[in-house]
Amino acid sequence: MEELLRQLTTLVQGLVDDMSVLKQDMQTVKQKLGQLEQRMDKLEQRMDKQEEELRRLKEQMKENTDMIKAIRDNQLEQRSIQDGMRHEIANLRGEMAGIREQMATKDDLSRLREQMATKEDISLIHQRLDYQLGRIAKVEEEMYLLKKVD
């Protein structure tokens, strides 16, 4: 029996030793689990920061996209205005070319001035007209008198 008791004591001592080792292993596991939890907390914090940064980047990208769209729309509007201006300029150039064709040059004006009658010329023409009208009136009067005599 003593032998059995010794074996039992040895077995119990082995179990106690095994339990001590198991307790130490459990402590190590708990420590590692605590460290793992700390690392997970840090990872979660980093993920939160990353998500916040991603949200800000998305907002900035949306703002940038909206600005680019506004710039593109403005560019299209400006191009349309420029096209209209080019068309208007082309019309004005055509009109100016037509006006230039109709305009008299300095040489034309000089020739026209030379051909124009002066005040003296007009006065002479009036005198000649008056003289001719006087002669016509005289001839008509003579014709009238002649017709009366006949």
Side-chain angles (χ1 to χ4, degrees), residues 9-33:
T9 305
T10 306
L11 279 173
V12 169
Q13 188 61 38
L15 281 174
V16 168
D17 290 343
D18 286 346
M19 282 299 283
S20 291
V21 169
L22 192 59
K23 279 184 180 180
Q24 287 175 352
D25 287 347
M26 283 296 285
Q27 280 294 45
T28 304
V29 167
K30 282 182 180 179
Q31 286 176 349
K32 287 186 179 181
L33 189 58

Side-chain angles (χ1 to χ4, degrees), residues 14-142:
L15 281 174
V16 168
D17 290 343
D18 286 346
M19 282 299 283
S20 291
V21 169
L22 192 59
K23 279 184 180 180
Q24 287 175 352
D25 287 347
M26 283 296 285
Q27 280 294 45
T28 304
V29 167
K30 282 182 180 179
Q31 286 176 349
K32 287 186 179 181
L33 189 58
Q35 290 172 351
L36 189 59
E37 284 179 354
Q38 287 176 350
R39 289 180 70 193
M40 285 296 291
D41 288 343
K42 287 179 183 178
L43 279 174
E44 283 180 3
Q45 289 174 354
R46 286 177 63 192
M47 286 292 290
D48 290 344
K49 288 179 183 177
Q50 294 280 327
E51 286 174 353
E52 179 64 24
E53 184 66 24
L54 182 62
R55 186 188 62 77
R56 280 193 225 130
L57 287 173
K58 283 182 179 179
E59 286 177 8
Q60 185 64 47
M61 191 183 321
K62 184 183 180 314
E63 287 177 18
N64 291 349
T65 301
D66 291 344
M67 287 185 340
I68 288 170
K69 285 179 182 177
I71 289 169
R72 185 180 52 211
D73 291 345
N74 190 17
Q75 264 184 332
L76 292 174
E77 183 180 342
Q78 292 301 317
R79 284 183 188 158
S80 175
I81 290 170
Q82 287 175 352
D83 288 344
M85 290 173 70
R86 284 186 186 114
H87 182 70
E88 187 65 28
I89 288 170
N91 285 340
L92 290 173
R93 284 182 178 158
E95 288 177 13
M96 286 177 61
I99 291 170
R100 282 189 183 124
E101 287 176 12
Q102 294 175 359
M103 281 178 44
T105 63
K106 287 182 181 179
D107 294 336
D108 292 339
L109 290 175
S110 295
R111 272 187 253 117
L112 287 173
R113 279 192 196 116
E114 289 172 6
Q115 292 173 358
M116 285 177 49
T118 63
K119 288 182 182 179
E120 294 158 358
D121 293 336
I122 293 171
S123 177
L124 283 173
I125 291 170
H126 279 292
Q127 287 175 3
R128 288 174 66 193
L129 275 173
D130 288 343
Y131 172 75
Q132 292 298 330
L133 286 173
R135 283 184 64 201
I136 291 170
K138 201 176 200 185
V139 169
E140 283 180 346
E141 187 181 329
E142 286 176 6

